[in-house]
Amino acid sequence: MAARLIELRKVDKEYTTGKLSYHALKEVDLDLDEGELAAIVGPSGCGKSTLLNMVTGIDRPTSGTVTVAGERIDTMKEDALASWRGRNLGIIFQFFQLFPTLTALENAMLPMDFARRGTIAEREETAKRNLALVGLAEKLGNLPSELSGGEQQRVAIARSLANDPKLIIGDEPTGNLDSKTEERMFDIIKTLSEQGKTVVYVTHSAALAQRAGRRIRMLDGKIVEG
Amino acid sequence: MPSALARKSLRDLSRRRARTVFTVLTIALGVAGMSMLAVSDLADRGMREQIESARMYNVNIHVTDVDLDGTNMRELGAIANVKAVDARATIWTRMYIGERRAYVILVGVEDFGHQTLDVITRESGDLPGPMEALTEEANARNGVYGGREGDAARVIARNGTVVEIGITGTARSLVYAPDTYDGIVVLYCGIQTVRAVGNVSGYTSLSFQLGDQSKAAVDRTVEDVRDYLTAHTSVVAFDQLPLLRVGYDWPQKEVFNNILESLAILTVIILLASAFLISNTMNTIISEQRREIGQMKAIGATSRQVFTSFLTTSFVIGAIGAAVGAVLGVLISYEVLVTFSRPFGMSFGFMVDVPMVALSLVVGVGIVLLASMPALVRSARVSVREALESSGISASYGEGAFDRLLMRGKGLPRTVQMGVRNVARKKGRSLATLLQITLAVALFMGMLSLAKAVAVATDEAWAPRTFDIRVEGTVPAELVDDIAAMDGVSTVDPYVTAKALIGTHGVEIWGYSPDTRAWDYRSTMSAGRWFTAEENRTNASVMVVGTALASLEGIGVGDRVHVMLATGDALVEVVGLQDSFMDMGQSVLMPVGSLQHLLRDPSNSGVFIQTTTKDRGVIDRLSVNLEDFMLARGVTVGIMIHYVSQAQDKASNNGTVMIFLFVSMLVVLICMIGLMSTLTMNVLDRTKEIGMLRCIGARARDIRRVFSTEGLFLALVGWGVGLPLGGLIGFFLQAQVKETMRMMLPVYYAWAFVPWAFLVTVVGTLLVIQVPMLRATRFRPGDALRYQ
């Protein structure tokens, strides 16, 4: 039986802006095991991204607990959380979020630099391997401005693999790509899952959701299915 | 009700409050700097009223004790062009302040209730009776003498006895107060008190108000007065060159205005530094709002409307900044006026230069609009598609050679690499920041170079003066040998001094013995020769002049030059030039015998003394013994101690430098605000990136390193460029001081301060970037990623 990787208990998240408050998550419980490939789906504003932000520690719950890989991340201090994230998570965003002044290779090495993982040469070796894995072995020295959208997203995937995390999180990872490129991206994600990584992603694409091992459907801040 | 577009323009200001505050502050400082230009007018206005009410002299003549009766006064008043005349008995002597002695001027007034000219105004207490005096207000203000009503001033009478003069109150006078600036005590007494203390029977000072104040008319009147006095009284010659004052001029006005004129250029630099920052800010506002510009255009806004919207924003920023600056400027200009006029004995009520306030407002708003214009024009040209696709972060990094250059240095830590490369992302902003840092470093170095040049000039001016004590006042010939025999005295060298005019320049002529031990002429001669014993013996009309005076008057060795002395005009041959800083390079030296001959007075003006040791304790004790020795023989003299006067001279010159330093610091402050503002903008621009960095494991110190590298990179380049520019500014300031202060200055660059400038730049940068960095590291990744 696979070990439990993610455990959310009675997670509430309320955003307050001026006089307005918005209840994004309402007493959400969620368990995910190692090796699962899960898609979070639902209409806009239902709390999908907020739920991912709870799992990555990007946001903190208003109440409830978040345990990932056996650690209570909702109580961690910001710096400790950043280091934890660097070591344990790989995140892929819809808009790639690459650093424009760093080359593809440097972007893919950056999380290892922060985690001080191995020697510089070892980091470079790992980054090259990850870029080769996503088919970008020829474009190591290119800046983001010299890459297409699909290529940039592949660099983002290579970057997410930098510290060999157990968990890969994707916030609409193919949302900004054409259907052909989307297909290729998902193949890479699928491969990672098959290699034993736990992959959780948010998507609006019904086709992409269908290909997940588990679909978590959300509505009005609650998990209604999965 | 304003339109929605107008409301947007106003609300844009509150979207980035910190930036709005920085920008307003910068404009305010720039506009406030303009107030320096008002000080001169304010002083003129204030002085005009005071000169009128004080009925100040146009010509003031000093003579040796002359008896004038009512007929004489009427006849003097009847000389052509003379509107009014008044006579006083004024003497210089010494007084005790605690245990030490100081110079004092006793001004004897016939009747305080009926003063024709140079009115002395009683401020407090009672009018003085016999052996009583009013103390000049500026005495206390300049720290010269703190005696108050009820105290007694212990004055050394001309006969050597110490007399007590009771202080009955305070008074002020535009004529005499400036003397307190030179450390001289001024006391106002009844004329009988002065006559008793000074051992005079008549008057020593005559003041005239003239109708026609043109130079020719004044010269003619002075000659008429001279003719009258020599023909009808005991006067043989004037004691000093007549003091002249035209219209609403006042003593020291030229020096005062020259200092202010020199500050004008710094005012321009302040405004330019402000303009940089404003241009930078408007660029940032517009690039941040590219998406909104697209949205506005998509829903029907014309380019003109977009332009007007941002123009309104700049106008409001400019108006608020200019208003705050104008108020600040009014306060600064009054404070500067009071501070710098105080030593000259002037006192002003609160004044506002309304035209300058209006000009400040117009210039303040105008400069903001001008500086914003390039950004505003660009904003109007943005197309809808281009704007809506904008992510707010430059994605074109890596296109230029400069970007590629910054990508070198692979061995550096990644965060440092990112910091260095970030410099090229907003090149315009980085360039503006660089210019501001460069300006700050350049001004810092320029000011230090000026300060060093002044210090060197002061040292050089004193270095050839090889005496230890100067006795000021006539020393009878028979006492010179007695002084030479005193304990601690090595040499005694009598000298003569007199004021004179060479061309248009007022100079001090010094008569030295040809083999003087008080002045190291061998080290200072640059052309020609020193005068000979034979020339001294035969009273030859020869002189050695300073190179600065030679250059100003176009004088060379072998020239025969007209020298106007109190006794009249003389033709003197220039036999040598000396390259020394004495008298600001405008020294004039003659054989002592020759000068005595021209002055028709065989007495000396004092003696230079070299001591047997440089021990300051010995020199101090000898100075007191000397004064006592002279007093015991009925001779009142002043004592100048070389090392004390040198220190005072240094302190006084440092005061001038401080004025420049104060204004320069304003510019440095603006530059530092500029740097802080730029880095704050960078942090805001890259908020999402900060969130991303956090997402992939960056700690607070990693983020700090990215931004501090960027700041330090700019600071170090600014330092490198600022150093040579500082040399140019230094040379410019030195030229300004040389011109305005008529001070000979060496060309100097403060090499020794290059490491200091480095330290100040780095520490200053690290300090000012703390605020934006704190902001950067406090972002939570969720907030940062949601940031718009």
Side-chain angles (χ1 to χ4, degrees):
Chain A
M1 187 180 155
R4 176 70 36 86
L5 188 66
I6 299 169
E7 193 177 284
L8 271 68
R9 291 288 173 268
K10 292 193 177 303
V11 170
D12 239 58
K13 180 65 187 177
E14 195 170 351
Y15 292 108
T16 306
T17 315
K19 292 174 187 168
L20 293 175
S21 66
Y22 171 65
H23 216 151
L25 292 179
K26 296 168 185 166
E27 298 206 339
V28 170
D29 289 323
L30 175 68
D31 294 301
L32 271 165
D33 293 338
E34 279 185 8
E36 278 197 86
L37 175 63
I40 303 173
V41 294
S44 288
C46 68
K48 304 184 294 292
S49 292
T50 308
L51 182 63
L52 275 196
N53 285 350
M54 294 298 128
V55 175
T56 54
I58 287 175
D59 264 340
R60 290 166 192 269
T62 311
S63 64
T65 63
V66 181
T67 309
V68 181
E71 294 200 61
R72 276 282 301 277
I73 63 168
D74 56 290
T75 55
M76 274 186 191
K77 288 192 171 169
E78 208 55 57
D79 252 14
L81 192 56
S83 295
W84 174 87
R85 213 164 21 229
R87 286 193 313 273
N88 295 285
L89 287 183
I91 309 178
I92 309 162
F93 291 92
Q94 181 181 358
F95 291 105
F96 330 132
Q97 307 284 13
L98 298 181
F99 295 96
T101 59
L102 300 183
T103 61
L105 180 67
E106 289 165 343
N107 264 294
M109 285 171 72
L110 196 56
M112 290 182 274
D113 290 333
F114 290 138
R116 310 252 190 294
R117 189 183 165 95
T119 62
I120 302 276
E122 285 165 351
R123 291 175 205 168
E124 200 166 313
E125 199 49 46
T126 306
K128 282 178 180 170
R129 199 170 53 238
N130 290 334
L131 284 165
L133 189 72
V134 296
L136 284 177
E138 305 300 314
K139 301 213 167 173
L140 302 180
N142 287 36
L143 288 164
S145 56
E146 298 160 341
L147 297 169
S148 69
E151 286 170 334
Q152 287 190 48
Q153 192 60 307
R154 279 190 275 162
V155 176
I157 294 173
R159 182 176 67 185
S160 73
L161 300 174
N163 287 321
D164 192 21
K166 287 181 184 172
L167 180 58
I168 308 280
I169 301 286
D171 191 355
E172 298 199 45
T174 59
N176 208 31
L177 303 173
D178 58 65
S179 58
K180 199 172 159 190
T181 316
E182 179 185 272
E183 190 63 29
R184 287 183 60 196
M185 283 307 108
F186 192 78
D187 287 345
I188 296 171
I189 289 169
K190 184 90 175 161
T191 310
L192 293 174
S193 168
E194 285 161 6
Q195 286 170 354
K197 307 276 184 206
T198 306
V199 182
V200 185
Y201 60 93
V202 164
T203 182
H204 275 107
S205 159
L208 229 55
Q210 287 295 333
R211 294 177 65 179
R214 178 178 170 189
R215 278 186 307 280
I216 301 163
R217 185 174 301 280
M218 292 193 72
L219 191 67
D220 295 335
K222 289 180 180 170
I223 294 175
V224 292
E225 184 191 327
Chain B
M1 189 85 166
S3 69
L5 191 61
R7 274 182 272 171
K8 178 188 179 300
S9 305
L10 296 176
R11 284 179 199 163
D12 279 350
L13 292 171
S14 62
R15 285 167 79 173
R16 301 266 191 270
R17 286 191 191 87
R19 179 176 57 203
T20 305
V21 169
F22 282 144
T23 313
V24 165
L25 196 63
T26 311
I27 300 162
L29 286 175
V31 171
M34 281 182 68
S35 64
M36 293 290 173
L37 304 174
V39 179
S40 174
D41 282 344
L42 288 177
D44 263 347
R45 215 171 78 197
M47 285 306 291
R48 186 175 281 258
E49 292 163 13
Q50 293 186 42
I51 287 168
E52 275 172 5
S53 67
R55 299 195 290 279
M56 266 181 97
Y57 69 85
N58 294 122
V59 175
N60 179 253
I61 290 168
H62 279 268
V63 290
T64 312
D65 191 10
V66 58
D67 288 318
L68 298 170
D69 56 22
T71 312
N72 292 137
M73 290 303 287
R74 271 195 305 280
E75 287 171 353
L76 279 167
I79 289 175
N81 198 32
V82 171
K83 277 169 65 185
V85 59
D86 200 5
R88 282 178 179 160
T90 300
I91 63 155
W92 279 59
T93 183
R94 304 276 281 171
M95 69 177 281
Y96 281 92
I97 292 177
E99 291 307 306
R100 70 181 171 86
R101 292 165 188 162
Y103 280 111
V104 59
I105 299 176
L106 297 181
V107 181
V109 180
E110 197 99 60
D111 181 354
F112 278 94
H114 296 91
Q115 301 176 64
T116 314
L117 296 177
D118 301 340
V119 176
I120 294 159
T121 312
R122 178 167 55 96
E123 291 293 312
S124 68
D126 298 323
L127 287 175
M131 298 313 282
E132 287 179 340
L134 293 165
T135 178
E136 164 61 48
E137 264 192 342
N139 285 335
R141 214 184 290 140
N142 283 337
V144 177
Y145 171 58
R148 287 187 235 164
E149 194 178 333
D151 290 347
R154 293 165 59 222
V155 176
I156 299 169
R158 282 277 169 85
N159 63 11
T161 58
V162 177
V163 295
E164 291 207 341
I165 296 182
I167 304 296
T168 59
T170 59
R172 62 184 177 86
S173 159
L174 286 178
V175 178
Y176 305 101
D179 288 316
T180 62
Y181 183 49
D182 295 325
I184 300 161
V185 182
V186 175
L187 297 176
Y188 304 113
C189 321
I191 198 161
Q192 295 307 335
T193 304
V194 175
R195 284 173 178 159
V197 175
N199 196 24
V200 290
S201 59
Y203 302 92
T204 61
S205 167
L206 293 168
S207 286
F208 298 87
Q209 252 191 359
L210 308 184
D212 184 350
Q213 294 174 21
S214 65
K215 188 178 182 311
V218 171
D219 286 350
R220 216 167 30 244
T221 312
V222 168
E223 285 315 309
D224 289 347
V225 170
R226 192 199 301 271
D227 290 345
Y228 178 86
L229 288 173
T230 48
H232 297 92
T233 70
S234 57
V235 170
V236 177
F238 297 158
D239 272 9
Q240 300 167 13
L241 279 177
L243 296 174
L244 307 177
R245 193 193 61 77
V246 178
Y248 291 103
D249 283 356
W250 74 86
Q252 307 282 5
K253 179 181 177 180
E254 200 184 354
V255 175
F256 190 75
N257 281 348
N258 283 343
I259 294 172
L260 294 171
E261 272 172 29
S262 304
L263 293 178
I265 188 73
L266 289 173
T267 303
V268 173
I269 295 177
I270 291 178
L271 280 172
L272 282 179
S274 307
F276 271 141
L277 187 64
I278 294 151
S279 167
N280 198 5
T281 306
M282 285 315 294
N283 266 320
T284 311
I285 290 177
I286 283 156
S287 58
E288 270 175 7
Q289 296 192 18
R290 281 167 76 86
R291 195 178 281 269
E292 287 182 26
I293 293 170
Q295 287 162 356
M296 286 198 283
K297 287 192 168 180
I299 58 169
T302 60
S303 295
R304 191 177 173 172
Q305 285 167 323
V306 171
F307 180 88
T308 311
S309 163
F310 288 110
L311 187 72
T312 309
T313 307
S314 344
F315 178 80
V316 173
I317 292 182
I320 298 173
V324 173
V327 173
L328 208 61
V330 166
L331 300 175
I332 288 178
S333 58
Y334 178 65
E335 196 51 43
V336 167
L337 176 68
V338 169
T339 305
F340 295 129
S341 62
R342 189 169 289 163
F344 303 120
M346 308 169 202
S347 69
F348 298 101
F350 187 75
M351 285 190 287
V352 178
D353 189 335
V354 178
M356 186 52 74
V357 171
L359 186 67
S360 306
L361 288 169
V362 171
V363 170
V365 174
I367 220 158
V368 172
L369 293 180
L370 273 178
S372 314
M373 212 41 79
L376 296 181
V377 170
R378 227 175 9 256
S379 76
R381 286 186 184 156
V382 174
S383 73
V384 178
R385 189 170 155 274
E386 182 184 13
L388 291 177
E389 282 176 358
S390 167
S391 63
I393 297 169
S394 165
S396 61
Y397 179 84
E399 285 172 2
F402 180 63
D403 299 6
R404 290 282 167 189
L405 178 72
L406 294 183
M407 286 179 72
R408 297 189 177 179
K410 301 268 184 197
L412 295 169
R414 192 76 62 215
T415 44
V416 173
Q417 285 180 11
M418 291 176 79
V420 170
R421 294 176 194 183
N422 280 344
V423 170
R425 290 173 69 178
K426 295 271 183 187
K427 292 188 182 68
R429 187 190 296 171
S430 294
L431 187 66
T433 312
L434 190 63
L435 283 170
Q436 291 187 52
I437 298 171
T438 301
L439 195 61
V441 172
L443 272 171
F444 180 79
M445 287 305 292
M447 284 313 305
L448 287 173
S449 297
L450 172 68
K452 188 68 189 172
V454 171
V456 168
T458 313
D459 285 343
E460 293 280 317
W462 284 87
R465 298 182 199 195
T466 45
F467 64 90
D468 298 300
I469 296 171
R470 189 172 117 198
V471 176
E472 298 168 322
T474 303
V475 178
E478 64 275 15
L479 294 184
V480 173
D481 290 340
D482 292 342
I483 291 173
M486 287 175 77
D487 269 354
V489 174
S490 170
T491 64
V492 181
D493 198 354
Y495 70 90
V496 175
T497 182
K499 290 198 184 304
L501 267 177
I502 293 183
T504 53
H505 289 90
V507 295
E508 183 98 26
I509 298 194
W510 295 85
Y512 278 61
S513 58
D515 56 348
T516 182
R517 303 276 294 275
W519 177 253
D520 181 14
Y521 58 85
R522 289 171 193 84
S523 70
T524 57
M525 293 301 293
S526 61
R529 60 175 178 81
W530 186 247
F531 37 77
T532 63
E534 179 62 12
E535 284 166 337
N536 185 44
R537 197 179 56 74
T538 58
N539 300 331
S541 286
V542 291
M543 64 181 176
V544 170
V545 301
T547 46
L549 179 66
S551 129
L552 285 168
E553 284 295 323
I555 302 171
V557 174
D559 290 350
R560 292 171 70 80
V561 178
H562 284 278
V563 177
M564 176 60 81
L565 289 152
T567 46
D569 186 40
L571 207 55
V572 184
E573 184 188 347
V574 178
V575 293
L577 299 181
Q578 63 160 351
D579 195 10
S580 94
F581 294 94
M582 180 190 188
D583 293 340
M584 298 177 183
Q586 298 179 37
S587 56
V588 180
L589 299 121
M590 289 183 78
V592 63
S594 308
L595 186 55
Q596 283 169 330
H597 175 72
L598 289 177
L599 293 171
R600 292 177 226 152
D601 182 356
S603 60
N604 58 46
S605 305
V607 294
F608 292 119
I609 293 170
Q610 275 188 325
T611 52
T612 51
T613 168
K614 297 295 172 195
D615 183 296
R616 291 184 176 180
V618 172
I619 294 171
D620 288 351
R621 280 192 293 280
L622 177 60
S623 70
V624 174
N625 289 343
L626 272 167
E627 197 167 353
D628 289 344
F629 171 83
M630 300 298 286
L631 273 175
R633 282 150 188 83
V635 183
T636 310
V637 289
I639 299 288
M640 185 192 112
I641 299 171
H642 183 284
Y643 80 85
V644 175
S645 298
Q646 185 175 6
Q648 286 169 347
D649 201 15
K650 268 190 173 180
S652 156
N653 286 339
N654 285 345
T656 308
V657 174
M658 285 303 291
I659 300 169
F660 283 88
L661 202 59
F662 168 76
V663 181
S664 301
M665 283 302 118
L666 264 182
V667 184
V668 173
L669 185 66
I670 290 173
C671 295
M672 286 294 143
I673 290 175
L675 179 61
M676 193 185 329
S677 169
T678 302
L679 286 176
T680 305
M681 292 310 104
N682 288 348
V683 167
L684 292 175
D685 272 1
R686 297 182 198 140
T687 302
K688 277 196 173 159
E689 271 186 43
I690 294 168
M692 260 316 292
L693 284 167
R694 288 296 221 177
C695 283
I696 60 168
R699 289 152 298 180
R701 68 172 179 216
D702 295 317
I703 291 164
R704 267 201 296 271
R705 197 187 279 174
V706 172
F707 285 98
S708 54
T709 300
E710 189 176 347
L712 282 175
F713 182 89
L714 287 171
L716 292 181
V717 176
W719 171 75
V721 183
L723 291 180
L725 191 63
L728 291 176
I729 290 183
F731 296 151
F732 170 78
L733 289 174
Q734 286 164 43
Q736 280 290 110
V737 169
K738 205 168 164 177
E739 178 64 31
T740 56
M741 303 296 290
R742 295 211 177 136
M743 187 173 183
M744 193 176 172
L745 279 180
V747 174
Y748 193 87
Y749 185 68
W751 289 107
F753 289 97
V754 170
W756 280 103
F758 176 83
L759 199 68
V760 169
T761 311
V762 170
V763 172
T765 304
L766 286 177
L767 278 177
V768 299
I769 62 180
Q770 289 311 307
V771 177
M773 281 209 300
L774 195 65
R775 188 182 181 121
T777 52
R778 275 188 180 165
F779 276 127
R780 284 188 173 174
D783 298 332
L785 289 172
R786 274 192 297 277
Y787 188 85
Q788 292 297 322

